[in-house]
């Protein structure tokens, strides 16, 4: 408890000054370099251990139950627009890899969505390489890891038409409030989350969101990574998907009911790229 309190205090003090120094020409280069200095867990092992543990038909339900807001927004934008721009694909694709989506599943997932608005040939020629690249099968053949919260907050802010980034960092308050309401949060709970965003405590806002949607007074961890959010959510829900995709209303928060045949990810499972890529 003491360690968590100290960690939260340090995060609060650090993030409090971000909005002030973000535009300072002397400090901006240093801030940008911090994305390469994340020393927390990169969750590479989690992705390896969970590889193939999720099914493509589960993604819509998982996105509502256990994705952090940044990844849920990317998923819903992909479903609505059948496309994500470069940094959105990187942020979301590496997250999906980290929670167990295999290369074969990823190719099917991205292709099936993109060809809803383009010819299959175009996907195969312009985008399939990117998917293989993110899994280390092309280019440098590096094992790329999912973005941490700090990297998402500090690097590549979204522009017009982009959907990547951190909602608590990059969106205005009315937009965030609308998102929270659409996710089933009451006005009181939304106010608790927004209190942190007003003070530039973006990760603490996301952690409060986690606590609210899981009915917790205090989360048993300090949030540092979207994959951590997902894994902790699956543990909090007992490793079970709670509502069948066809029964879940758009935007509704899943209630705590018994699991069903979608519960393929067990608690035991949970415990136990920029170069050379198309940017269109």
């Amino acid at each position: 408890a003491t360690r968590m309190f100290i960690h939260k205090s340090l995060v609060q003090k650090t993030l409090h000054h971000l909005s002030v120094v973000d535009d300072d020409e002397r400090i901006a280069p240093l801030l940008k370099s911090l994305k390469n200095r994340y020393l927390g867990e990169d969750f590479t092992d989690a992705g390896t251990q969970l590889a193939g543990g999720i099914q493509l038909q589960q993604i819509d339900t998982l996105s509502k139950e256990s994705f952090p807001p940044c990844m849920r927004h990317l998923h819903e934008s992909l479903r609505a627009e059948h496309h994500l721009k470069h940094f959105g694909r990187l942020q979301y694709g590496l997250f999906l890899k980290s929670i167990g989506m295999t290369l074969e599943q990823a190719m099917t997932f991205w292709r099936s969505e993109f060809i809803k608005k383009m010819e299959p040939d175009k996907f195969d020629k312009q985008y399939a390489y990117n998917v293989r690249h993110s899994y280390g099968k092309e280019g440098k053949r590096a094992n790329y890891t999912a973005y941490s919260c700090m990297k998402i907050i500090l690097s590549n802010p979204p522009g017009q038409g982009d959907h990547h980034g951190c909602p608590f960092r990059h969106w205005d308050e009315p937009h965030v409030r609308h998102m929270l309401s659409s996710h089933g949060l009451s006005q009181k709970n939304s106010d608790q989350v927004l209190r942190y965003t007003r003070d530039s405590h973006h990760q603490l806002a996301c952690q409060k969101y986690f606590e609210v949607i899981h009915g917790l007074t205090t989360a048993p961890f300090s949030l540092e990574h979207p994959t951590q959010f997902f894994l902790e959510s699956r543990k909090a829900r007992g490793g079970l998907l709670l509502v069948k995709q066809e029964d879940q209303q758009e935007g509704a928060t899943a209630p705590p009911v018994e699991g069903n045949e979608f519960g393929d990810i067990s608690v035991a499972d949970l415990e136990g790229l920029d170069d050379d890529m198309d940017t269109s």
Side-chain angles (χ1 to χ4, degrees):
T2 302
R3 182 180 179 183
M4 186 177 296
F5 173 78
I6 294 173
H7 178 84
K8 285 185 176 181
S9 297
L10 290 172
V11 170
Q12 287 177 336
K13 290 181 181 297
T14 300
L15 296 182
H16 177 71
H17 299 287
L18 282 180
S19 59
V20 178
V21 302
D22 206 19
D23 297 326
D24 192 313
E25 294 180 357
R26 299 165 299 175
I27 301 177
L30 175 61
L31 289 179
K32 290 180 180 179
S33 73
L34 289 176
K35 66 183 180 182
N36 299 319
R37 300 182 186 182
Y38 172 67
L39 299 178
E41 186 175 355
D42 62 16
F43 296 96
T44 301
D45 290 340
T48 301
Q49 293 169 6
L50 296 174
I54 60 173
Q55 303 303 316
L56 293 182
Q57 64 266 29
Q58 297 174 333
I59 300 299
D60 288 333
T61 302
L62 281 171
S63 71
K64 293 179 173 66
E65 291 186 0
S66 294
F67 282 16
C70 59
M71 300 305 173
R72 178 170 174 176
H73 175 66
L74 283 164
H75 179 76
E76 292 175 349
S77 299
L78 176 63
R79 289 299 199 209
E81 300 177 14
H82 315 303
H83 186 269
L84 288 176
K85 296 176 75 173
H86 177 62
F87 289 115
R89 297 197 305 273
L90 281 178
Q91 182 176 320
Y92 190 42
L94 291 174
F95 168 76
L96 291 174
K97 175 186 174 185
S98 77
I99 66 172
M101 183 176 284
T102 66
L103 172 58
E104 292 74 19
Q105 288 176 316
M107 194 67 74
T108 300
F109 175 76
W110 290 102
R111 191 177 194 274
S112 64
E113 201 63 48
F114 273 46
I115 63 174
K116 292 177 181 178
K117 68 179 298 184
M118 68 176 62
E119 292 298 321
D121 243 16
K122 181 175 181 181
F123 176 87
D124 295 339
K125 291 177 180 178
Q126 296 187 19
Y127 297 97
Y129 175 92
N130 295 5
V131 178
R132 295 193 299 270
H133 189 283
S134 67
Y135 279 78
K137 302 302 182 182
E138 300 286 358
K140 296 178 180 178
R141 300 187 179 274
N143 186 20
Y144 294 101
T145 58
Y147 291 3
S148 67
C149 292
M150 288 301 289
K151 181 167 184 174
I152 292 171
I153 289 169
L154 292 175
S155 63
N156 302 315
Q160 186 175 5
D162 286 324
H163 296 290
H164 67 278
C166 169
F168 301 117
R169 169 67 179 90
H170 297 116
W171 295 7
D172 59 26
E173 183 169 317
H175 196 176
V176 175
R177 185 177 289 278
H178 176 76
M179 176 194 72
L180 296 175
S181 176
S182 72
H183 291 187
L185 274 69
S186 66
Q187 181 174 338
K188 179 181 178 180
N189 287 333
S190 295
D191 287 340
Q192 292 177 330
V193 174
L194 288 166
R195 182 183 64 191
Y196 288 109
T197 65
R198 294 185 191 114
D199 292 332
S200 298
H201 301 156
H202 316 299
Q203 288 169 248
L204 294 180
C206 196
Q207 182 155 327
K208 173 53 68 175
Y209 171 90
F210 180 98
E211 292 166 354
V212 169
I213 67 171
H214 293 89
L216 301 174
T217 302
T218 303
F221 62 92
S222 293
L223 183 62
E224 297 179 343
H225 204 288
T227 307
Q228 179 189 23
F229 185 109
F230 174 82
L231 296 175
E232 293 291 346
S233 175
R234 301 321 300 155
K235 285 194 285 188
R237 298 190 186 283
L240 300 172
L241 289 176
L242 305 180
V243 179
K244 292 182 181 180
Q245 178 179 339
E246 60 268 26
D247 294 337
Q248 185 164 339
Q249 295 181 353
E250 184 68 25
T253 300
V257 298
E258 293 299 321
N260 52 49
E261 65 266 33
F262 283 102
D264 296 338
I265 306 175
S266 69
V267 176
D269 290 332
L270 295 170
E271 290 175 343
L273 318 154
D274 294 346
D275 294 340
D276 304 321
M277 305 186 85
D278 189 293
T279 59
S280 60

